[in-house]
Amino acid sequence: CEAIQISEAGLRTLEDSLGLSLSAYAVIIIGKEILLGLIYMISGAVIFWRRSDDWLVIFISLTLIIFGSSTIFLVDNQLVKFLSGLGFALIISLCFFFPDGHFVPRWTRWLAVILAIPFLFASLTPLLVTPLWSAWLLVGSIAGFASQVYRYQRVATPTQRQQTKWILLGFGMIFATAFFLTVPLVLFPSLTPSSEPTLTMADFIYRAIYGFF
């Protein structure tokens, strides 16, 4: 992967405000990406190993592995960008038919398609990880969450409700970790690697939701 470089102001912030060296900062940044990627990929592999005779389980497993692989490979090329876009498209779609494989209400299948396709398109263009991308991710996340709330309140069985609770707990823990690791980049913009633009609020929303998924 490319070397992590930050400005002189960022180095001063690391040493004076956070008490970190550049090497320690690099370990934290790279370690976070690898850790999150491994969590997704191992979870997907375990799910597939435990129950590979259900198409929905296979879909969930594949989604986790694809999404995790887009974070664990610390290179910036078109394949990784495509995997990232595909991962987001699959996750947004999953929000509309988890945990029984049916879209509730039925018309949400078209909403899922409308929300998912732009992620694939953006992964092949410079729109990947821009304020527009972040805004669309926020819209998709809200719509998917609303679908889950409707399903939970109207049609879910007690077993399905328990499954939803466990999934939300797991995602919530990942979200909290990503949120905690992203806050310093917002409070101290000079810490943003020079190869990346300074974090805006839209980027913060993207990274927080990214960690949630």
Side-chain angles (χ1 to χ4, degrees):
C1 63
E2 297 181 0
I4 294 180
Q5 299 178 348
I6 59 177
S7 64
E8 293 184 5
L11 287 173
R12 289 195 296 270
T13 300
L14 278 175
E15 296 173 354
D16 300 338
S17 300
L18 301 178
L20 294 174
S21 66
L22 181 59
S23 298
Y25 174 69
V27 169
I28 292 173
I29 295 298
I30 296 175
K32 183 200 74 169
E33 299 296 328
I34 293 177
L35 177 61
L36 290 176
L38 285 175
I39 289 174
Y40 290 123
M41 295 181 71
I42 293 175
S43 298
V46 170
I47 290 173
F48 180 81
W49 177 67
R50 291 288 299 272
R51 189 177 176 184
S52 58
D53 58 344
D54 187 320
W55 76 266
L56 180 58
V57 172
I58 295 175
F59 183 94
I60 295 173
S61 175
L62 184 63
T63 298
L64 291 172
I65 292 174
I66 289 176
F67 191 76
S69 65
S70 70
T71 67
I72 200 171
F73 297 122
L74 302 175
V75 293
D76 185 18
N77 60 36
Q78 196 58 56
L79 175 59
V80 173
K81 290 180 179 179
F82 177 75
L83 288 175
S84 179
L86 178 60
F88 277 113
L90 293 175
I91 287 177
I92 292 297
S93 300
L94 181 62
C95 289
F96 289 94
F97 58 80
F98 178 85
D100 62 358
H102 297 92
F103 289 91
V104 179
R106 286 189 175 184
W107 58 264
T108 56
R109 69 183 63 189
W110 304 114
L111 179 59
V113 171
I114 292 172
L115 290 171
I117 288 179
F119 288 108
L120 295 176
F121 173 75
S123 68
L124 303 176
T125 70
L127 292 177
L128 186 66
V129 192
T130 63
L132 181 59
W133 163 281
S134 303
W136 194 253
L137 178 58
L138 181 60
V139 170
S141 302
I142 293 175
F145 181 76
S147 175
Q148 283 295 311
V149 170
Y150 177 88
R151 177 190 296 272
Y152 186 90
Q153 294 181 337
R154 299 294 184 88
V155 299
T157 65
T159 300
Q160 292 172 348
R161 290 182 178 180
Q162 189 61 42
Q163 292 173 334
T164 301
K165 289 178 181 178
W166 279 112
I167 290 295
L168 288 177
L169 175 62
F171 282 162
M173 294 174 64
I174 297 175
F175 172 81
T177 301
F179 186 88
F180 175 78
L181 293 174
T182 302
V183 166
L185 298 180
V186 177
L187 298 179
F188 305 102
S190 58
L191 295 180
T192 304
S194 59
S195 60
E196 300 181 11
T198 300
L199 279 179
T200 63
M201 184 53 64
D203 298 316
F204 178 73
I205 293 173
Y206 159 75
R207 294 186 182 218
I209 298 176
Y210 177 89
F212 176 81
F213 284 129

